[in-house]
Amino acid sequence: MVIKNYIMKESYYDSVLLMRLAGEAGKLPGVSNISVGMGTPLNKDTIQELGLLLPEGEKATPNDLIIALSAETDETAEKIRASFLQMLKDNQSPKGKRSYPSLDSMKTAVRDRNLAVISLAGQYAAAEAEKALKMGMNVFMFSDNVPIEEEVKLKTYAREQGLLMMGPDCGLSFIGGVAVGLCSKVRRGGVGLIGACGSGMQEVMNIVHLMGGGVSQAIGVGGRDLRKEVGGLTMLTALDLLEADEETKVIGLISKPPAPETAEKIFDRVRHCKKPVVAQFIHCDPTLAAQSGAQVSNSFEETALRCLAILKEKEYIPEAEQDRLNRLFPLAKEEAAGMAKGQKYLRGLYCGGSLAEETITLGTGLLGSMYGNVAFQEEYMLSDPHQSKGNCLIDLGAEEFTLGKPHVAIDPSPRLSRFVQEARDPETAVILMDFLLGYALCEDPAGMIAPLIKEEKARALQEGRKLSVVASFCGSDLDPQNRIAQEKILRDAGVIVMGNNGEASRLAALIASVQGGKNE
């Protein structure tokens, strides 16, 4: 095995592109590990932790690209380097498109620009965002590790100018019918969304689409926007813009728990909003939202359905949770039939952090507290996230799994091996998974795992067990992967595919609950 560092001097590339291409290169024959990134201190630390950093890589500057890899032979390493460089070339010059080396060079050539997408190392992202804002452009910033003081400065200026500063650490938005970042494509319509949790907002978008509705805009604000220091600056600006947007008829707000001071600001603005508002602030006291006149939602599905009901001028009557469980119980009982007595646990393998949290919330009511690398109680946080315990949910998109690697929604390989690990655990009753679809994400996530699912379900039967697999898709039929085609692949592999994450979570928890009862 050899380790190589290839340095491309003064060559900057977008981090989302590098993540995706590194995932593709990691599948080439003879490669053991590969990490690609600009020569920033943070990226070099990551490469070092992977055991791939050599002296030449250590000397790289933040303006240099590092291709660090381990391969079987020197010849194989050279072939992988050449293949990666060809991938870069193929992706840098789309047919019919022009590229510019800087915002300044673009400024004089393009007159109708209004959105800058920034994916730079954190220490450089703020300066470019400031340039774009001063050119009158809205900004979508995928970059993270931007000092919060810089975020406040950028968002304050943007708000004063009536511009959107989406991010830092903004995963997706849907602007003017264009999917930005790691986002799904949905039809246009009257529902406007503002979200501080990426996969959660995408889930609402897709449920709206699945139910026949459409989205005017979906504005991601970044994970820190509702902190006390930032004060919801982008959410407030987005509220102003959607209130003035003729296409938007109803506004949905989605967020993880905000700082109390920020929540007061947001709901004071909602109180004076001329359009109806649905608010879903996860694990947050609903009193402020209700007092502002907003309809309060407790799940992504409810947020979507409440928005659609308002559009149709109908009253939304939620299905009681117990009625939902009663409806799903016969299927859960049927799935649990034939399982071995020792099978008793639910194991969740997730890509979307917000979807994982929704699953924990719903599962806890049936199964009690769940272990994982995301947990609401410290004592249920796993000391080793690579080894499950009891009823357990793992967010494979968390930092400990993505260090130096593409996100699992871009390269699902880490989930494939973890699926086999959980499937062969004799205590596993049901495996629950989410599948994220959209631009820049894995081209065929269902097709990659379906053969393994068939194989492991057959293995379980040979060993006297019955393995249940439940899944849901966060995506649409308009996505490059096509949700309908992806669902069929999983169903053909013996997977129960539910309409949304909430329903999948309830069913999986019910199966584990029914089966667990046999073991008592």
Side-chain angles (χ1 to χ4, degrees), residues 348-499:
L349 303 177
Y350 267 65
C351 299
S354 299
L355 299 179
E357 291 183 354
E358 179 179 55
T359 295
I360 294 173
T361 300
L362 294 170
T364 297
L366 287 164
L367 303 173
S369 296
M370 297 177 67
Y371 290 95
N373 63 337
V374 283
F376 299 145
Q377 298 161 287
E378 186 64 32
E379 60 266 34
Y380 286 91
M381 288 289 290
L382 291 172
S383 57
D384 179 7
H386 298 278
Q387 187 62 52
S388 295
K389 178 180 179 181
N391 292 304
C392 185
L393 191 141
I394 302 297
D395 175 11
L396 291 160
E399 185 176 305
E400 58 264 34
F401 291 100
T402 59
L403 187 65
K405 301 176 182 178
H407 191 280
V408 70
I410 297 173
D411 177 15
S413 300
R415 182 155 72 172
L416 303 184
S417 56
R418 187 59 177 262
F419 176 85
V420 173
Q421 177 182 325
E422 302 298 349
R424 296 183 184 180
D425 183 341
E427 292 189 320
T428 299
V430 55
I431 296 177
L432 173 66
M433 294 182 286
D434 66 335
F435 287 82
L436 305 186
L437 306 180
Y439 292 85
L441 298 178
C442 178
E443 295 177 357
D444 185 17
M448 287 184 68
I449 199 169
L452 278 180
I453 293 173
K454 291 179 181 178
E455 182 179 325
E456 293 306 320
K457 285 175 75 71
R459 178 189 292 270
L461 287 175
Q462 289 174 356
E463 296 175 355
R465 297 180 290 118
K466 178 183 176 183
L467 178 66
S468 180
V469 182
V470 178
S472 68
F473 282 87
C474 182
S476 83
D477 57 308
L478 301 180
D479 284 325
Q481 302 88 344
N482 191 326
R483 174 174 177 152
I484 296 171
Q486 289 284 298
E487 287 184 346
K488 184 179 186 303
I489 290 171
L490 288 192
R491 288 195 175 102
D492 289 346
V495 178
I496 300 176
V497 180
M498 303 299 286

Side-chain angles (χ1 to χ4, degrees), residues 10 20 32 63 87 94 107 126 188 192 219 224 228 253 260-261 265 293 313 403 407 421 448 485 493 498 520:
E10 300 295 324
R20 180 168 64 81
S32 174
N63 294 319
M87 292 178 192
K107 182 178 180 180
R188 303 295 301 283
I219 301 170
R224 300 187 304 198
K228 179 181 178 180
L253 305 180
E261 301 90 340
K265 291 180 184 177
E313 298 182 343
L403 187 65
H407 191 280
Q421 177 182 325
M448 287 184 68
M498 303 299 286
E520 294 177 355

Side-chain angles (χ1 to χ4, degrees), residues 106-123:
M106 179 273 297
K107 182 178 180 180
T108 56
V110 183
R111 299 296 181 186
D112 59 349
R113 72 281 189 271
N114 63 5
L115 176 64
V117 178
I118 295 179
S119 182
L120 291 165
Q123 60 265 51

Side-chain angles (χ1 to χ4, degrees), residues 316-351:
Y316 173 73
I317 302 175
E319 184 179 10
E321 186 65 20
Q322 190 56 53
D323 290 342
R324 287 178 177 272
L325 297 176
N326 291 342
R327 172 168 50 80
L328 293 171
F329 184 78
L331 180 55
K333 188 175 180 181
E334 179 183 339
E335 275 298 291
M339 288 185 178
K341 186 175 182 182
Q343 295 181 260
K344 50 189 172 182
Y345 294 131
L346 181 155
R347 299 289 163 77
L349 303 177
Y350 267 65
C351 299

